[in-house]
Amino acid sequence: MKLELPEDKKLVHTVVVPIRWGDMDAMGHVNNTLYFRYMEIARLDWFFGMGLPADPKGEGPVIVNAFCNFIRQLEFPGDVLVRTYLGTMGRTSFDTYHEMLRTDDPNTVYANGGATVVWVDFPQQKSVPVSDHARALIERAGRPPLLGR
């Protein structure tokens, strides 16, 4: 089953992740589990870049599902350009999507996928509304910075 990325999404972050020799499997291509790692690296880079790291004593993001469509094989050597998109944002959760391309082939999508992120109060182990501060940062992502800020 292939899950399609929605048309209504906003580019919020890009990051380049090097393909390591150890990322390959016995078949000579990047192991399928690493695609999820590349998406995780991109999500965390985006969150940390906004100043929203997970706080085990407070609140933060938790992934409740994830999917990946493997379109073309990634192989070593190379670098993966991961584009992160924001989809629908609800009260306690939001959808993220990713496209994975090679930096030396930036017009070809090698894989895409996504995840639903739920905002959680870690000590209480339950979902909570995304704070106004976090919501503002997330919704502002991908826009040009304001002058003087």
Side-chain angles (χ1 to χ4, degrees):
M1 161 190 344
K2 181 178 180 182
L3 299 173
E4 298 294 332
L5 274 58
E7 292 293 324
D8 186 23
K9 61 187 182 306
K10 178 178 78 164
L11 180 64
V12 292
H13 186 70
T14 59
V15 65
V16 174
V17 181
I19 299 172
R20 302 168 301 173
W21 174 259
D23 291 350
M24 291 188 303
D25 60 18
M27 302 306 292
H29 56 74
V30 171
N31 185 278
N32 61 340
T33 62
L34 272 296
Y35 291 74
F36 288 95
R37 176 72 63 195
Y38 298 155
M39 289 188 280
E40 176 188 54
I41 289 168
R43 249 189 330 272
L44 289 174
D45 193 60
W46 175 43
F47 287 145
F48 277 79
M50 289 186 292
L52 290 175
D55 176 5
K57 295 179 182 172
E59 298 178 358
V62 170
I63 303 304
V64 295
N65 67 30
F67 72 94
C68 186
N69 297 308
F70 305 98
I71 300 167
R72 295 182 66 136
Q73 295 180 18
L74 288 169
E75 297 173 344
F76 177 88
D79 294 304
V80 182
L81 172 65
V82 185
R83 294 180 182 152
T84 300
Y85 298 87
L86 176 64
T88 303
M89 187 149 188
R91 188 174 72 83
T92 61
S93 67
F94 52 94
D95 295 325
T96 60
Y97 301 99
H98 306 276
E99 291 177 329
M100 288 165 267
L101 309 91
R102 288 182 61 101
T103 57
D104 59 357
D105 187 10
N107 296 316
T108 303
V109 176
Y110 282 70
N112 62 32
T116 298
V117 178
V118 172
W119 208 253
V120 170
D121 179 309
F122 292 112
Q124 293 186 35
Q125 292 292 295
K126 68 177 201 171
S127 65
V128 294
V130 179
S131 70
D132 291 340
H133 172 71
R135 180 176 297 277
L137 291 172
I138 293 165
E139 289 179 343
R140 176 102 183 107
R143 295 184 189 157
L146 296 173
L147 293 177
R149 294 191 187 207

